[in-house]
Amino acid sequence: SFNFSDELAAGVTAGVNALMGIDDSYEQALAREQARLAEFRQAQPVAALAGQGVGGVMVGVPAAARVLGTRAASLGTMAGIPGVTRVLGTGAVSTGQAALRGAGVGAAAGGLAGAGAAEPGRRTEGALIGGAAGLGIGAAFPLAKDSVTALIRRFVGSRPDAATRRSATKILQALQRDELTPDEAFARVQRLGPEGTLADVGENTRDLARAVAGQPGPGKRIALDVLESRQEEQGTRLVRAVNRALDPTGDFAGAVDDLQAARLSAARPLYDKAYSQQIEPSDDLVALFRRPAMKTAWRKARVTAENEGEILPELFIRRPDGGEVLNTDAIRDVKVLDYLKDALDEVVEKNRNQITGRIMGRGPKAVDSLRKDLLAAVDALSPDYKAARAAWSGPSRSLEVMEQGRRFARGDEEVTRRVLERMTDDERFFFRMGAARATRDMIHNTPDGADAVKRIFGSDLKRQRLRAVFPDDETFNAFRETMESEAEMFTTRARASPRAGSPTELRQTGTADLLADVGEGARALARGDTGTASMRFLRSLFGRSAERLSPEQSESLARALFTNDPNVNREIVRAFSIARFSGQLTLPTVAAGTEASRQFGTAFAP
């Protein structure tokens, strides 16, 4: 405000009071403001003086910085002083020209600030004094630019290791906000597995990673490489976890082919031998053909046989009196009876519950009973047929329970448990193989970039259904830990990757917290800590921009946050631990000749 803050505040107060009908003049408001400032100067003389000094520098910084650059800017544009643009001009300037223009800027700004600081009636005197001082400082500043800048940077942290120190400080700060010690953070990284990073351990480390990934430069590239490549491999890691828990072979299709080949190899010779035999129908067998379902099954069997090039005889022969008599010659052939059995199988399987394996409905249950009676009667007459079916049914049962396992996700946990309890060990093995195949299918069907964990483990119902398939709690708990780790890593990617969120939001997140030196200086000034305030302000002026991460700092943070090398993470944590006990986090403190400090520097080095 060029030292016109009391006049400006008094004018605003008087104007507002006039609008509200309060009897309060400008002079009265000004007297109150001046009394308040005088009281503050008396109570806090150092802070008041520093405030004036910092305020004065703040006015001149934009113009001076531009004068010293390759293009001069107009103080008139920034401070509303007409004509300064024409005096300063634009374009590249020599040192002499910079000094001349700096003198002009300093005289104008100093004169205005001097007038504002002077008492009424002595404005001209104040303007002359302030202008003269500003002219000298403005002219000297460009001439001393290089030496002054080098000197200040030595103290404000623009040395090569500044990015490393500040990056380390920010990571440790994020861990503290997540209420994690360095050792606890490292333990979390280990629990996440080979892909875990420091960025995954807490909400605040994710926010820090998000700020890093949102800034252009090498840090963004590192973040993208780690987060996106890790996401691309999520499905592969989940499939390995499923196979490890449920199907060590990992080859459902191969198992099906092997079972079918084994079934055919073992059963075909026995079926050929049985089909070559003729049997003498027993009374029990003949009695079964009085049931209506047999006639229906026979019609289906004839169609199947004809499609395979076989012609089945008539099952019943019509008598002269119009009645029917069973053609016992038709049922002497074992192959014909096998066609009949297949027809009854079709009726039963159409009405079998796909989850529990139970037959649904009274009628289908009666047909299943008839089928069992038929097989018992034929087995008694043809031991070779019984042996052939046994050779066929072993692999067939395995294939059946494999398919049943593929449907596990449709059933309830309790039902699946009861089904598995009734199975033999071999049947449970094949059931889990089918369940693993179904789970792998869900993983592979997840859209690119989406979270496959949610597809298989993202609700309590899904977890219950999976738990019913697992052989024991230990195996399931290990699988659960893998799923939780993958979910944590996906959260990091969704939060931090530029490809998963808004680029604008990514750039804005955490920026003020990361490099808000000017804001920290203002808070220090309010506390009367003028030393800290001056250093913070100078750092913002001569150090890196306070509006974004520097490329060096971004890369330094990215290398530490996104590494999944356990050795590097271990050494970083050691360095953090040393820093916590020493009370500060700087390379000289961490050094102490230790391997941990050397690795720490390597991990953070640009």
Side-chain angles (χ1 to χ4, degrees), residues 43 68 91 105 125 157 161 166 176 218 222 224 230 267 270 273 304 325 340 349 362 372 462 521 578 583:
L68 296 176
V105 172
E125 179 184 348
D161 60 359
R166 188 149 180 81
Q176 290 170 342
I222 292 171
L224 274 174
R230 189 170 72 175
L270 296 174
K273 183 178 180 181
T304 301
V325 63
L340 186 60
E349 294 306 319
R362 187 172 181 177
K372 291 176 181 178
K462 291 178 180 179
I578 295 172

Side-chain angles (χ1 to χ4, degrees), residues 386-463:
K386 181 179 181 179
R389 284 192 304 100
W392 181 269
S393 63
S396 295
R397 175 57 180 164
S398 299
L399 292 169
E400 178 185 323
V401 296
M402 287 171 71
E403 286 300 319
Q404 194 173 350
R406 292 186 68 176
R407 297 187 291 268
F408 86 97
R410 306 179 203 170
D412 296 326
E413 175 194 13
E414 299 85 352
V415 173
T416 301
R417 288 183 184 278
R418 287 197 296 269
V419 168
L420 286 168
E421 286 171 359
R422 293 195 300 267
M423 290 182 176
T424 64
D425 289 342
D426 287 343
E427 289 173 340
R428 280 192 284 267
F429 173 84
F430 287 112
F431 184 95
R432 291 184 179 117
M433 182 179 285
R437 172 58 185 268
T439 307
R440 291 195 297 264
D441 288 346
M442 287 188 277
I443 294 170
H444 292 315
N445 286 332
T446 303
D448 293 341
D451 187 8
V453 174
K454 287 186 177 180
R455 303 277 298 227
I456 64 174
F457 214 71
S459 70
D460 188 54
L461 181 60
K462 291 178 180 179
R463 291 189 289 272

Side-chain angles (χ1 to χ4, degrees), residues 302-359:
R302 293 189 68 181
V303 171
T304 301
E306 288 174 6
N307 287 332
E308 294 181 355
E310 298 281 348
I311 304 298
L312 299 188
E314 291 291 341
L315 182 60
F316 290 93
I317 301 173
R318 188 172 296 277
R319 296 182 305 194
D321 60 3
E324 290 182 336
V325 63
L326 177 66
N327 181 9
T328 55
D329 291 337
I331 59 175
R332 293 178 184 275
D333 193 332
V334 173
K335 188 174 184 179
V336 171
L337 294 173
D338 193 46
Y339 276 122
L340 186 60
K341 190 270 298 182
D342 288 343
L344 294 172
D345 285 344
E346 183 178 347
V347 174
V348 172
E349 294 306 319
K350 281 183 178 180
N351 293 276
R352 189 184 296 278
N353 184 287
Q354 299 298 305
I355 305 300
T356 65
R358 296 182 180 277
I359 301 168

Side-chain angles (χ1 to χ4, degrees), residues 23 36 39 164 189 223 323 342 424 443 469 514 526 575 587:
D23 185 12
R36 183 183 63 79
E39 182 181 353
T164 297
V189 173
D342 288 343
T424 64
I443 294 170
V469 177
L514 284 168
L587 287 185

